Amino acid sequence: MKDFIIPWDDRDMGTPAKEGAPVTLSIDGFEVTVPEGTSVMRAAAEAGIQVPKLCATDSVEAFGSCRLCVVEIEGRRGTPASCTTPVAEGMVVHTQSSKVRKIRKGVMELYISDHPLDCLTCAANGDCELQDMAGAVGLRDVRYTAPGNAGLANHFEARNTSGEANAQWMPKDESNPYFTYDPSKCIVCSRCVRACEEVQGTFALTIAGRGFDSRVSAGGAADDFLSSDCVSCGACVQACPTATLQEKSVIEMGTPDRSVVTTCAYCGVGCSFKAEIQGDQLVRMVPYKHGKANRGHSCVKGRFAYGYATHRDRILHPMIRDSIDEPWREVSWDEALSFAAARMRGLQEKYGKKSIGVITSSRCTNEETFLVQKLTRAVFGNNNTDTCARVCHSPTGYGLGQTFGTSAGTQDFDSVEHTDVVIVIGANPTDGHPVFASRLKKRLRQGAKLIVIDPRRIDLVKSAHIEAAHHLPLRPGTNVAVVTALAHTIVTEKLYDEAYIRERCDWDEFQDYAEFVSDARHSPEATEMLTGVPADELRAAARLFATGGNGAIYYGLGVTEHSQGSTTVMGIANLAMLTGNVGRKGVGVNPLRGQNNVQGSCDMGSFPHELPGYRHVKLPEVRKIFEEAWGVEIDPEPGLRIPNMLDAAVDGTFKGLYCQGEDILQSDPDTKHVAAGLAAMECVIVHDLFLNETANYAHVFLPGSTFLEKDGTFTNAERRINRVREVMKPMNGYADWEVTQMLANAMGAGWNYTHPSQIMAEIAETTPSFAGVSYEALEEKGSIQWPCNEAHPDGTPLMHVDGFVRGKGRFIVTEYVATDEKTGPRFPLLLTTGRILSQYNVGAQTRRTENVVWHDQDILEIHAHDAENRGVKDGDWIRLASRSGETTLRAHITDRVSPGVVYTTFHHPDTQANVVTTDYSDWATNCPEYKVTAVQVSPSNGPTDWQEDYAAQAEKARRILPAAE
Amino acid sequence: MSPEKMVRMANQIATFFKTQPGQDAAEKVASHLRDFWEPRMRAQLKTYVEEGGAGLDDAVIGAARQL
Ligand code: SF4
Ligand code: SF4
Ligand code: SF4
Ligand code: FES
């Protein structure tokens, strides 16, 4: 099998693709048929003819400023720019003539007269469109020169020959950690400005000044890139035809010589990238144009934050120790694996089969996750497997499974291009799912309406050229009341889609549900006091959603991480069914998954009650499939979930854990309880890149590999299975699937996979929704959205098209139940948590990159009113306490949060925001209630005792003995 | 698991199913517990119910009898 591929046709077509009726024209004598609205330039490119260009690129709309792309069109006067001229039926175009050649040469001559000629030492040498175009138009000499010693008529010389400063010259802006802006090389084509607007949607760049004085400017006059609104997505860098905006890695290393298409390992958007390399050194990541999730865009994490892969903190040798008070000992793989295997088997002998288990990773590949759950089911002989999805989207699985019959998100990301009204609830896409946010914002700028339901005024509520029609700033913990009040309005005002409901849903259940929501106690007026959402605003939002055309709901962890998380998910499904918004483009229920492979890890049977493909372990016919494939007996009883494992550990019945690529001590709620659980275990095996927080309690450390070092697949939030391809060999010696296999074999499994494609073949054989998935098919199609089987050989972009998976859609009654976590005199504020763009989850990766310039510590957001009452000023150290514990961090005063609500992120281990969160959880799934904790805030001088004890324990636990010679 | 935590978790489940139409809340709770609670947890619940089941919702007590 090919391990990497040279990307398919990746040319710059000059202008974006269009959809429309076919139009046929002739270009240089060749007939070409393209959709109406296509530019002449793109039509030529389709015919294989490249018209010279500078200001056009196919990621942004044409602008027509450089005039290099002029052509002649029969029957038209002059020489129109091919990038801005749309095709017409029967048009006859000539892209080369002496006339256009002369014009192009003249244009280039002018450009080059104001451009430094240091091509040989320029970072873009070999990768510069200005250079290419000078060649393409046959530029041989430049007649213009800057006038002698008068004011210099150029932008690139700092001083004239007499040493006078050139007022037009500007120094390089190197403030961004990942790219530089060198104004002396700018040709003012404005591709960067348009990329920032159209692709990213941030509007950080403008062209300041006019004519010869025009300059690209980030933010206001006093800003540099770092201080401007720039979010460092890199779209402008990618669009820039010159070295003006250039990756620092390219400046340092030179241009790459090959590329491998792979998938980002950060968030659930699952962007495709070309990893561009020299040998086995990664030079840069460039979002892949044909990536169907991202369509050529990315965020700062995927494009730039890969430095952790080669960070000196990476652990490359296995380590063991008898007890966690001892320092680590570096040992051979053999020794580590036999140590681990003997301990695990010993525990089972002493405490029973069910005394050990695994945690699979939502960051590892599908193949790796499949093996880890197989390890527990086939080798340990129990179902004690869980995954980080427990703490994020397990309620999605339950809620959507109950209502629609499958936990799958219903749409692909392209669907947003057909949406008219969007509800974003409990999600902050500009930070959590940035590329989806850019695509959403693009649609909003085209006129789609937005309703934001979130306690915080997230960026989407109002930012450049975007404003939500309604923001419902609810009190944390009242999601169900708000969603039910929306349904109340839709039902009582008869705005529901009766025909749709009659055809696709269970009508009797709808009757029960309609009667339930119609009760006056669910009206927006009745719940206003509770939710804090003004009734008229809520009614207006409900009306807009029900009547505004294609309605789509996107939600995140602000929905699931509550004691009623599953109920809210059902409420959301109810809303979509009520309004007839499931089963076509532009609509649907779209869970925004957190980590890159949350979807995949759930699909792969990571949950203790489900075998791969979401089939309950109680079902004999499903167990039979795996029993035959694996030659073992499968336990018919559900296993322990993560919180249950910790409880059982404290009780003394759960003793050993293999934890792959997850840091439960930092990421799971109620840190003290997690620590107590881990401390009570006799064998904790951590398999990770770094000595993470959980490893402080581990007895075996198995070094992990990064996504750059292995083959496999990730499945993103749209159920899209994307290939991960090996870019370099694993620094630790083995890909993670190999490590799991070695551990299994040390315990007597006898597995012999030699490539992840064989694991995928086993998945396809045992799991109907993956039946048609294979590495060959992925190679051919690029990516596949499951279900992929005989009925859907190309995969399934949209779910429930001809009816719900379960048959009739089920409306489920969603009674609001207040969480037990209540504010009171001791803890009067509600803490809610979230994340920010530049950091990722527990930050193990992003904290080890330059991304720390944007976020070097967790900050508590607090409203001025609450801050003043407590004598807290902006930037002060404060103590944040709940009934679980307390921590300290700095405060930021803002009106983004309402009075009574405070907010923080959980990216930094020294803050340990989860010391404060409680062990309350979702009623159905035990997904922890991260989003609501009653807290108190008071001034403080420094770290708490817990923080100091924790730091001391961590330092002690991380000691490594020098390797024995 | 501490009894308080178990009681809270079990009652949360009962609270949901009691809001659903129909008279069979205990049955639904029992089937939820069978599907999602590991045998150790169900055993702990049963023992707790046998010892009096203090603080448990009726539907949970009914469910525990069916387990
Ligand atoms: S920075 Fe690059 S993309 Fe922007 S105007 Fe200058 S040359 Fe064009
Ligand atoms: S990096 Fe992204 S946000 Fe920053 S200026 Fe460029 S396009 Fe705009
Ligand atoms: S973090 Fe998410 S949005 Fe950013 S590049 Fe990676 S997959 Fe794309
Ligand atoms: S490429 Fe058409 S005007 Fe610049």
Side-chain angles (χ1 to χ4, degrees), chain A residues 41 52-57 62-70 81-84 111:
Chain A
M41 174 181 281
K53 64 179 185 59
L54 278 173
C55 68
T57 186
F63 190 57
S65 69
C66 74
R67 304 255 330 132
L68 196 65
C69 68
V70 291
S82 62
C83 64
T84 49
Y111 273 116

Side-chain angles (χ1 to χ4, degrees), chain A residues 8-31:
Chain A
W8 303 278
D9 183 6
D10 210 16
R11 282 177 303 150
D12 183 352
M13 308 298 280
T15 62
K18 298 285 168 192
E19 284 175 17
V23 171
T24 302
L25 69 163
S26 145
I27 300 179
D28 295 342
F30 295 97
E31 276 222 335

Side-chain angles (χ1 to χ4, degrees), chain A residues 421 423 451 453 469-472 481-495 517-528 531 533-548 575 579:
Chain A
V421 189
I423 293 183
I451 298 163
I453 307 179
H470 304 284
H471 174 212
L472 312 183
V482 170
V483 169
T484 308
L486 288 168
H488 172 93
T489 308
I490 293 169
V491 170
T492 54
E493 297 187 11
K494 302 248 177 303
L495 303 174
V517 291
S518 302
D519 195 311
R521 72 199 158 91
H522 299 303
S523 71
E525 291 72 19
T527 49
E528 177 170 342
T531 62
V533 177
D536 47 349
E537 194 71 15
L538 192 148
R539 278 192 188 269
R543 289 175 195 136
L544 173 64
F545 185 68
T547 61
L575 274 185
T579 50

Side-chain angles (χ1 to χ4, degrees), chain A residues 354 398 512 563 570 609 616 618 637-641 644 647 651 653 673 812-813 815 817 820 919-921 923-924 926, chain B residues 1-2 5 8-9 12-17 19-22 28 31-42 44:
Chain A
K354 299 194 178 187
Y398 184 80
D512 286 340
S563 58
M570 296 184 228
H609 65 285
H616 204 284
K618 70 183 174 190
E637 287 288 353
L640 294 166
R641 302 171 285 195
N644 312 147
D647 286 332
D651 293 347
T653 65
H673 181 61
I812 296 182
V813 166
E815 185 77 63
V817 179
D820 291 336
D919 66 352
Y920 286 173
S921 64
W923 67 268
N926 269 180
Chain B
M1 168 167 49
S2 73
K5 185 167 174 182
R8 187 176 67 240
M9 278 165 48
Q12 271 182 296
I13 296 168
T15 306
F16 175 81
F17 286 109
T19 64
Q20 298 304 304
K28 287 176 177 154
S31 107
H32 186 91
L33 293 175
R34 265 195 299 269
D35 280 357
F36 298 102
W37 280 31
E38 205 252 4
R40 255 169 276 198
M41 300 164 67
R42 299 197 315 252
Q44 189 186 349

Side-chain angles (χ1 to χ4, degrees), chain A residues 364 368 371 658 660 687 689 703-706 710 732 734-741:
Chain A
C364 288
E368 287 164 343
L371 284 198
Y658 169 46
Q660 180 176 71
H687 181 183
L689 299 174
S705 53
T706 70
K710 59 198 178 192
N732 56 324
Y734 298 100
D736 295 334
W737 62 270
E738 295 177 282
V739 175
T740 305
Q741 168 161 291

